[in-house]
Amino acid sequence: MASPIYSTIFKRNSVFVPTVFLAAFSFSIGFDMVTSAWWDSHNRGKQWKDIRSKYIEQEE
Amino acid sequence: MLSQAFPRLASRASALPRLSQVRFSSSSTQAQTPFLASRTAVFASTAATVGLTAWYAHLYGISFLPEASANTAAEDGLHPAAYPWPHKGIFETFDHASIRRGYQVYREVCSACHSLDRIAWRNLVGVSHNVDEVKAMAEEIEYTDGPNDEGEMFQRPGKLADYMPAPYPNEEAARAGNGGGLPPDLSLIVKARHGGADYIYSLLTGYVDPPPGVHVAEGMNYNPYFPGGGIAMARVLFDGLVEYDDKTPATSSQMAKDVVTFLNWAAEPEHDQRKKLGLQAAIILSSLFAISIYVKRFKWAPIKNRKIFYNPPKEAH
């Protein structure tokens, strides 16, 4: 019962609940970064952020 | 024997015969009726067959009866070909350079007759133009605002929150200016027509001379893609009609593609975000589904694999 994962995370609720929240927060950010990176490479050259630089220079 | 060993269980089992059958189904050894031979399966497959037949008949007519239609194929309009749009496919965003060119075509050509009520200047920001360009374009248009402190309406230059100006003040003026035909508002036109973008592209590029024997009414133009063939709008896109600022050759098919992409964006401004969120939701939900299947099998494994033995007590001699 004294495995390291138990004694560090599951033993105390005061540690366990923040761990769940932190894991959810970091997973959502990481997941968003990974899917966005694939999305942007799949649609390279088509989105506004890809062509925006052309028209910013034109303005100046 | 069973009632001797477990009198309570046996009485409950006899009181609820069906429940007991279900309860011990995982440990019973007697042959069960296979599901496909069950009454539920018969009812379900009958209901599915009746429903599918009725649905098919509703959509396409009853296939084994001859059908009379007052429409000829020409009156239904030619079906458009399926074109390889850059945004066709579940992972594809709009081509925003094409939206930008399409806005230019709309502004210089279409907006002479067609309104675009549901698009505001601010909607273009971050989609096809940057904020300074949109502000400059909006300021070129005069809008009526008011009332001011004296109760008078006044004119002011447009701002980002204003909607696209309409070419005609009301429907009667639009009809009077176009020989009785009302140019439809283009905000949702891609959603509002069968065939969507393919249809509008085909319509814009499909003007031809009427074939022999087809009479087009006075003031109308022939277009095989338009149901009935006679359309009040004349061909408007000719090669070199606009000059693109990114040096794309302005052929009529290029302009039609760009303006249809723009109109598709106008009908579905949420398109790019919707597809991206759909991808993310599909990944998350299918992962959760797989996890739930795994957990179910994990938890049920000992129950599915158990075997209950009953050892009768030795009879006392």
Side-chain angles (χ1 to χ4, degrees):
Chain A
M1 218 35 181
S3 71
I5 189 168
Y6 172 77
S7 51
T8 50
I9 295 175
F10 293 107
K11 194 173 177 185
R12 294 174 186 281
N13 202 41
S14 56
V15 179
F16 179 57
V17 171
T19 308
V20 169
F21 287 178
L22 270 179
F25 184 71
S26 53
F27 172 78
S28 69
I29 290 180
F31 180 75
D32 201 51
M33 280 169 65
V34 170
T35 47
S36 297
W38 180 82
W39 184 261
D40 291 343
S41 77
H42 184 77
N43 289 297
R44 182 175 300 134
K46 283 159 71 181
Q47 300 186 86
W48 169 246
K49 59 182 137 191
D50 301 325
I51 59 169
R52 178 176 177 270
S53 55
K54 288 190 226 169
Y55 303 107
I56 295 295
E57 284 165 24
Q58 217 174 54
E59 284 293 295
E60 290 159 0
Chain B
M1 285 195 295
L2 191 79
S3 55
Q4 278 175 350
F6 305 108
R8 270 176 57 205
L9 200 63
S11 66
R12 259 178 37 202
S14 59
L16 298 162
R18 283 213 49 200
L19 193 70
S20 69
Q21 209 180 11
V22 171
R23 175 65 184 82
F24 294 115
S25 60
S26 66
S27 55
S28 76
T29 49
Q30 68 197 25
Q32 294 235 314
T33 320
F35 174 72
L36 284 179
S38 69
R39 200 174 287 188
T40 317
V42 172
F43 284 150
S45 58
T46 308
T49 310
V50 170
L52 282 174
T53 310
W55 188 29
Y56 185 89
H58 172 69
L59 284 180
Y60 304 113
I62 301 167
S63 48
F64 38 80
L65 287 181
E67 207 177 336
S69 172
N71 272 11
T72 62
E75 281 162 342
D76 285 328
L78 204 57
H79 285 198
Y83 289 102
W85 297 99
H87 56 271
K88 191 173 183 174
I90 57 174
F91 300 136
E92 310 300 325
T93 65
F94 281 128
D95 182 356
H96 284 244
S98 186
I99 295 179
R100 186 185 173 99
R101 294 191 297 267
Y103 171 74
Q104 188 183 347
V105 176
Y106 168 75
R107 177 55 56 208
E108 295 181 14
V109 183
C110 314
S111 69
C113 301
H114 289 278
S115 56
L116 195 67
D117 284 346
R118 286 163 191 272
I119 297 298
W121 293 106
R122 60 184 161 79
N123 296 124
L124 295 174
V125 176
V127 172
S128 58
H129 297 74
N130 64 46
V131 67
D132 298 326
E133 291 172 312
V134 180
K135 274 182 180 166
M137 292 191 295
E139 280 166 8
E140 290 170 12
I141 314 266
E142 292 262 296
Y143 283 84
T144 306
D145 201 352
N148 62 10
D149 293 344
E150 282 87 45
E152 308 285 331
M153 303 301 278
F154 58 91
Q155 299 290 112
R156 60 157 175 79
K159 51 190 181 185
L160 287 179
D162 287 316
Y163 283 78
M164 294 279 162
Y168 299 103
N170 50 52
E171 183 185 328
E172 286 73 13
R175 284 191 187 278
N178 289 284
L182 174 68
D185 182 73
L186 294 183
S187 308
L188 296 168
I189 201 76
V190 171
K191 278 181 171 171
R193 293 291 179 271
H194 285 292
D198 291 332
Y199 166 72
I200 296 168
Y201 176 85
S202 302
L203 189 79
L204 290 175
T205 54
Y207 284 92
V208 288
D209 291 333
V214 171
H215 296 287
V216 179
E218 182 67 32
M220 304 286 262
N221 304 277
Y222 182 73
N223 192 317
Y225 294 97
F226 193 73
I231 182 169
M233 182 173 107
R235 180 181 171 184
V236 284
L237 295 178
F238 296 93
D239 288 354
L241 189 63
V242 303
E243 196 171 331
Y244 287 133
D245 54 8
D246 60 359
K247 307 286 183 286
T248 307
T251 60
S252 58
S253 58
Q254 177 72 42
M255 286 185 286
K257 177 234 170 191
D258 290 339
V259 80
V260 170
T261 304
F262 171 73
L263 293 177
N264 203 335
W265 166 79
E268 296 179 278
E270 82 292 350
H271 172 281
D272 293 357
Q273 191 65 18
R274 167 166 63 78
K275 283 183 175 174
K276 188 176 172 186
L277 267 179
L279 167 72
Q280 292 172 330
I283 292 174
I284 293 287
L285 292 178
S286 53
S287 310
L288 288 178
F289 181 65
I291 291 172
S292 74
I293 295 288
Y294 167 76
V295 169
K296 185 263 168 187
R297 291 175 67 95
F298 181 76
K299 295 287 186 189
W300 275 76
I303 300 170
K304 289 275 192 186
N305 289 309
R306 76 184 171 178
K307 200 153 197 173
I308 296 176
F309 288 97
Y310 171 64
N311 291 317
K314 293 267 175 3
E315 281 186 48
H317 290 289

